[in-house]
Amino acid sequence: MKKPLVSVIVLNWNNKQDLEVCLNSLAKQTYPNYEVIVVDNASTDDSVNLVKKKFSKFRLIENKENYGFAKGNNIGINQANGTYIITLNNDTKVDPKWIEEYVKLAEEHPEVGSLSCKMLFFDKPEIINSIGLKLYWDGKAVDEGINEEDNEQYEGIREVFGPCGGSAFFRKEALEDVKLDRDYYDSDFGFYSEDLDLSFRLQLKGWKCLYVPKAKLFHKFRGTTGKIHDFGLYYAIKNKVLFMVKNYPLRLLIFYSPVIIIRQITSFLYYLIKLNKRAFQSRMLIFWYLPKMLRKRWKIQRTRKVSYSKVRSLLHKRPLFDALFK
């Protein structure tokens, strides 16, 4: 019986060195039926020629401009033929059985919409980068297990909120179920929190996410975006608010709104004192995008399948002081 096709989408922008390591590891997969789609966001560092010369068996999509993480991956997903879709960062090196372990668990659990893997730091392979996303009630999200030494405490399959965008496995059926207009990842997010947003939409539709401990990769972590000053801050401020506006059920949004508002005021004053221009620009963009997010919210909440209590159970506790000031 033929194995289901898996489409691996690797987004790239001016990171030829890391891309070569990533694609070399993908070429050595034990799983027999997969395609690799390299989506290049208008690189100027000869990345495209690298793919054409050394990895000609992989598909290449050349974007005419840098569309960012969300839209870039959406372009790849729309071109993918797989039953399963994986979006993979270019600053990674995957284990030879990475796809094989993903598919094995996905086939055993048809109720699962996404899977996360064991991500280890590239330069410190004994230290965990992520086993999946963990979301707190105030909207703060972290990589579960980050910076912990890998002492076999995460060797069991477990349910997590969603997969880290560095390596996210999806059932194509689930992606189509939560698609908004032409978007899987929200293109208005650009970078950061787009994986969290997609994971929340999958959870609202009843699609679970499982962690696959035997699917391993090594991640350089911010290999591309870390080169840009205040890059994460700019997108994180805007997207955290927009993510909550879109996805939190109304009762939760009302209940947590005092803390959310105070947190935003505190953050605004903090970065105002530091004269951080990027933080101010990001906050102003919230108002620009708010009407569009409210329209998306209407579509998401209208089709939500899980109960309010179920959504609340997905959110982890966090001290009030930390929510307001950390």
Side-chain angles (χ1 to χ4, degrees):
M1 184 176 176
K2 190 175 181 179
K3 299 283 187 179
L5 177 65
V6 177
S7 300
V8 183
I9 297 159
V10 182
L11 186 67
N12 179 70
W13 177 69
N14 287 339
N15 200 0
K16 176 184 175 181
Q17 183 176 350
D18 288 343
L19 179 64
E20 184 170 8
V21 174
C22 177
L23 297 183
N24 271 325
S25 68
L26 284 171
K28 299 173 183 177
Q29 290 297 291
T30 58
Y31 189 77
N33 191 23
Y34 69 101
E35 63 174 357
V36 175
I37 304 172
V38 179
V39 181
D40 188 81
N41 268 340
S43 293
T44 57
D45 69 344
D46 209 36
S47 292
V48 168
N49 285 332
L50 168 72
V51 178
K52 289 179 178 179
K53 291 178 180 179
K54 294 194 66 174
F55 303 98
S56 57
K57 69 176 183 178
F58 296 160
R59 293 169 60 190
L60 174 65
I61 298 174
E62 298 180 59
N63 290 334
K64 295 182 179 180
E65 59 184 279
N66 186 352
Y67 289 122
F69 180 92
K71 186 174 180 179
N73 273 304
N74 288 339
I75 290 170
I77 295 172
N78 278 310
Q79 293 293 318
N81 298 312
T83 301
Y84 299 114
I85 308 292
I86 307 176
T87 57
L88 178 67
N89 276 15
N90 61 356
D91 57 349
T92 57
K93 179 181 178 180
V94 297
D95 182 84
K97 291 189 175 182
W98 177 68
I99 296 178
E100 184 179 331
E101 295 294 344
Y102 262 145
V103 175
K104 180 180 177 181
L105 196 63
E107 292 290 280
E108 292 173 355
H109 294 273
E111 79 282 4
V112 167
S114 61
L115 297 173
S116 67
C117 70
K118 179 183 282 188
M119 297 179 65
L120 302 161
F121 285 109
F122 193 94
D123 296 324
K124 295 181 179 179
E126 73 282 1
I127 304 298
I128 294 171
N129 179 179
S130 178
I131 69 161
L133 299 175
K134 182 177 182 179
L135 179 64
Y136 292 96
W137 61 269
D138 64 330
K140 178 179 175 62
V142 297
D143 286 304
E144 189 167 354
I146 190 168
N147 292 325
E148 292 184 30
E149 192 167 347
D150 185 18
N151 289 325
E152 300 185 352
Q153 71 272 43
Y154 295 116
E155 289 305 296
I157 297 167
R158 62 168 70 186
E159 192 170 340
V160 293
F161 186 81
C164 169
S167 172
F169 179 104
F170 300 104
R171 191 180 302 274
K172 184 64 181 298
E173 177 189 354
L175 285 177
E176 294 298 330
D177 190 30
V178 299
K179 189 175 184 180
L180 286 174
D181 300 322
R182 290 179 290 180
D183 275 1
Y184 302 99
Y185 288 113
D186 192 330
S187 295
D188 289 321
F189 278 42
F191 301 86
Y192 292 96
S193 297
E194 70 295 307
D195 51 354
L196 184 65
D197 172 69
L198 179 51
S199 294
F200 210 134
R201 283 186 277 131
L202 286 166
Q203 290 284 359
L204 290 174
K205 280 293 192 78
W207 292 103
K208 295 180 180 180
C209 179
L210 293 180
Y211 158 64
V212 190
K214 291 184 179 180
K216 299 179 182 180
L217 66 75
F218 305 93
H219 184 206
K220 286 194 174 180
F221 195 61
R222 296 175 182 166
T224 299
T225 60
K227 302 172 186 176
I228 305 173
H229 180 64
D230 278 342
F231 185 90
L233 176 68
Y234 177 77
Y235 284 98
I237 290 175
K238 169 179 75 74
N239 291 345
K240 179 178 178 179
V241 175
L242 298 181
F243 153 76
M244 297 177 76
V245 167
K246 279 178 63 180
N247 296 294
Y248 274 43
L250 185 59
R251 286 170 63 187
L252 276 180
L253 205 56
I254 293 173
F255 186 73
Y256 294 140
S257 59
V259 174
I260 296 170
I261 293 170
I262 294 173
R263 168 70 185 194
Q264 290 302 310
I265 293 172
T266 303
S267 176
F268 173 76
L269 293 175
Y270 173 78
Y271 287 112
L272 181 63
I273 292 171
K274 295 189 72 174
L275 299 177
N276 191 303
K277 182 180 178 181
R278 296 287 280 174
F280 178 78
Q281 291 172 333
S282 178
R283 210 170 295 282
M284 292 302 99
L285 279 177
I286 294 173
F287 297 100
W288 173 264
Y289 281 108
L290 194 57
K292 185 184 287 189
M293 292 301 131
L294 289 173
R295 289 193 293 271
K296 292 180 182 181
R297 172 187 172 79
W298 181 82
K299 294 178 182 178
I300 292 167
Q301 300 302 324
R302 183 172 57 90
T303 58
R304 173 165 62 94
K305 292 182 179 179
V306 299
S307 66
Y308 164 80
S309 59
K310 172 62 178 176
V311 176
R312 192 168 185 178
S313 73
L314 296 170
L315 309 179
H316 290 261
K317 295 180 180 179
R318 188 171 183 238
L320 180 59
F321 180 85
D322 290 352
L324 290 173
F325 301 110
K326 290 188 178 180

